[in-house]
Amino acid sequence: MNAPLIKYRGRLNALSPDARRRLLDRTGTSDIRVAQRTADLIARVRHQGDRALREMAREFDRAELQSLEVPRSVCEEALASLEPKLKEALARAARNIAKAHAAQKPQVTEVETEPGIVVGRRPDPLGRVGVYAPGGRAVYPSSVLMGVVPAKVAGVGEVIVCSPPGPDGKPSAGVLAAAALAGADRVFALGGAGAVAAMAYGTESVPRVDRIVGPGNAYVAAAKLQVVEAVAIDAPAGPSEILVVADSSADPEAVAREMLAQAEHDPDACCVTVAVGDVLAQAVAAAVERAAARAQRHEIVTRALRERGAVLSVDSLEEAWPFVAEFAPEHLLIATTSPMEDLPKARNAGTVFVGQYASVAYGDYMTGANHVLPTAGLARAYSGLSVLDFYRWTTYQRVTRDAAARLADDVGLLADSEGLFAHADAARGWRKS
């Protein structure tokens, strides 16, 4: 007998403790073998540099690399050879990403905490950033745009892209075209943990970066976590996920389309709908089953829904919002009668799609919002990639002579109480005699 297509059905408040835990705990189990293998690959790159990277390309990608770096002319040729309509669609996406992220650029702030005492904070663009772009089974030129364009908007000094080579020794033409369109400064035919290590520590050919962003497989994710003592990274990322909150105004077929759009990413994707009322929940479940039967990526969709799919019902929207905050989805779609009124009630989501017309696919590609987002419940604390990720902050303080004199005694008192007597002397040195 076949397993049900949708793993969890029924009332949200009737979920067993085990089922609820499985839905909420999406971190997965740590694979010790992946972690150890990743550590070995990082060590090889640190000790052998470019030689290790060439050996890894031969071993994992079956590619002989004459040069680790892809010439700019090759990227430009890839862009020029794109089908014109696809090229314009990518250009439109890049324009929207640039516009949305430019609006997020931070400003210098100053505050006078007391007369003569000014505390300021200045955003400084990072010097160099690395963007990882997956290759092989998952090739996403859109992810190149999501990493490179905001970095360029922020004013990062140099943006490099690493993506695995194919048998011809070059990354996919789509990735190369997107890198050229987005304005990447350099592109390297490197993938996996080796690419992450090269960007984190530098080699003869690959410059060391200040931050690494972009999605990847289990080895890329493990490598990013293992190099955090040397380089900043974006939020740890896992399989795709969506949570739809729907009431009677929602079209069940539209909700089903959104669930399948995420399910087709990965067999480990998590796709959940919380519907107001049993009737709507049943209609959504039926629509999902019909859509899955005709899905082009049927096997992936079916596995995802059978392992981590859910259509659950509630009596009212008020019952849904606490679950949303606890679930903390990568993508949250609010398909309700008054989605703008419900938006403030939605907490802990990587990004929110307001109203059923705001398909997640639009955000994945074209609205201008970033699709590099926290997964596995990490939206409780992490945010999606933004222009802010490409700055570091410099704080500074200005103190006038008169203000220094007013600070001297109280600061000296505090320093003495902590046993830091040289601090006290430094403060009191500005007393007025």
Side-chain angles (χ1 to χ4, degrees), residues 156-243:
V156 170
E158 184 176 47
V159 182
I160 73 170
V161 172
C162 284
S163 191
D168 62 354
K170 297 182 293 186
S172 77
V175 165
L176 295 179
L181 179 64
D185 296 289
R186 302 176 72 181
V187 178
F188 293 87
L190 301 172
V196 174
M199 290 189 285
Y201 300 106
T203 71
E204 301 93 320
S205 299
V206 184
R208 181 175 181 171
V209 304
D210 303 317
R211 181 182 286 270
I212 300 172
V213 303
N217 63 17
Y219 288 93
V220 171
K224 286 165 73 175
L225 290 173
Q226 290 187 27
V227 300
V228 291
E229 88 288 351
V231 65
I233 65 170
D234 52 3
S240 295
E241 54 195 41
I242 184 173
L243 173 57

Side-chain angles (χ1 to χ4, degrees), residues 1-5 306:
M1 183 175 178
N2 290 334
L5 177 63
R306 284 181 174 161

Side-chain angles (χ1 to χ4, degrees), residues 97-433:
I97 294 166
K99 186 173 183 178
H101 287 73
Q104 303 166 6
K105 291 178 71 172
Q107 304 296 321
V108 175
T109 60
E110 287 190 354
V111 60
E112 188 174 56
T113 57
E114 293 181 14
I117 304 172
V118 173
V119 176
R121 196 166 186 249
R122 183 190 72 209
D124 297 327
L126 297 179
R128 182 183 293 120
V129 164
V131 176
Y132 187 85
R137 187 180 69 177
V139 177
Y140 300 129
S142 58
S143 290
V144 177
L145 301 184
M146 296 291 176
V148 176
V149 172
K152 300 298 285 188
V153 167
V156 170
E158 184 176 47
V159 182
I160 73 170
V161 172
C162 284
S163 191
D168 62 354
K170 297 182 293 186
S172 77
V175 165
L176 295 179
L181 179 64
D185 296 289
R186 302 176 72 181
V187 178
F188 293 87
L190 301 172
V196 174
M199 290 189 285
Y201 300 106
T203 71
E204 301 93 320
S205 299
V206 184
R208 181 175 181 171
V209 304
D210 303 317
R211 181 182 286 270
I212 300 172
V213 303
N217 63 17
Y219 288 93
V220 171
K224 286 165 73 175
L225 290 173
Q226 290 187 27
V227 300
V228 291
E229 88 288 351
V231 65
I233 65 170
D234 52 3
S240 295
E241 54 195 41
I242 184 173
L243 173 57
V244 182
V245 175
D247 67 10
S248 59
S249 68
D251 178 357
E253 300 292 338
V255 174
R257 290 195 298 268
E258 296 302 326
M259 290 187 67
L260 260 70
Q262 297 309 309
E264 75 172 353
H265 268 295
D266 192 303
D268 293 322
C270 186
C271 306
V272 179
T273 290
V274 175
V276 177
D278 295 337
V279 172
L280 178 59
Q282 291 166 5
V284 169
V288 168
E289 292 181 0
R290 289 192 297 271
R294 59 179 182 268
Q296 294 189 46
R297 304 184 70 161
H298 176 77
E299 183 178 349
I300 294 174
V301 165
T302 300
R303 285 179 59 190
L305 293 172
R306 284 181 174 161
E307 290 298 319
R308 288 188 171 182
V311 177
L312 306 168
S313 63
V314 292
D315 290 326
S316 67
L317 287 173
E318 286 65 33
E319 188 181 343
W321 304 123
F323 180 75
V324 170
E326 195 174 7
F327 189 87
E330 177 188 20
H331 306 101
L332 172 64
L333 173 60
I334 303 176
T336 62
T337 304
S338 303
M340 281 302 297
E341 293 180 14
D342 292 326
L343 177 60
K345 304 170 189 174
R347 306 289 298 177
N348 302 345
T351 190
V352 183
F353 295 84
V354 186
Q356 66 176 343
Y357 305 125
S359 172
V360 173
Y362 297 151
D364 281 345
Y365 291 103
M366 196 68 71
T367 64
N370 209 291
H371 77 202
V372 179
L373 302 165
T375 62
L378 289 175
R380 298 189 314 274
Y382 285 89
S383 303
L385 192 69
S386 78
V387 73
L388 299 178
D389 289 288
F390 301 103
Y391 292 90
R392 64 164 305 282
W393 290 87
T394 297
T395 58
Y396 56 89
Q397 299 117 83
R398 297 197 307 272
V399 180
T400 66
R401 177 66 180 86
D402 288 344
R406 294 196 307 272
L407 289 171
D409 286 338
D410 279 351
V411 172
L413 182 65
L414 291 172
D416 281 339
S417 73
E418 295 185 352
L420 298 175
F421 306 114
H423 283 65
D425 288 344
R428 290 182 179 126
W430 294 108
R431 281 173 168 170
K432 285 190 175 179
S433 54

Side-chain angles (χ1 to χ4, degrees), residues 28-37 218-219 222:
T29 56
S30 177
D31 190 327
I32 296 176
R33 291 170 299 179
V34 169
Q36 184 57 60
R37 180 62 172 147
Y219 288 93

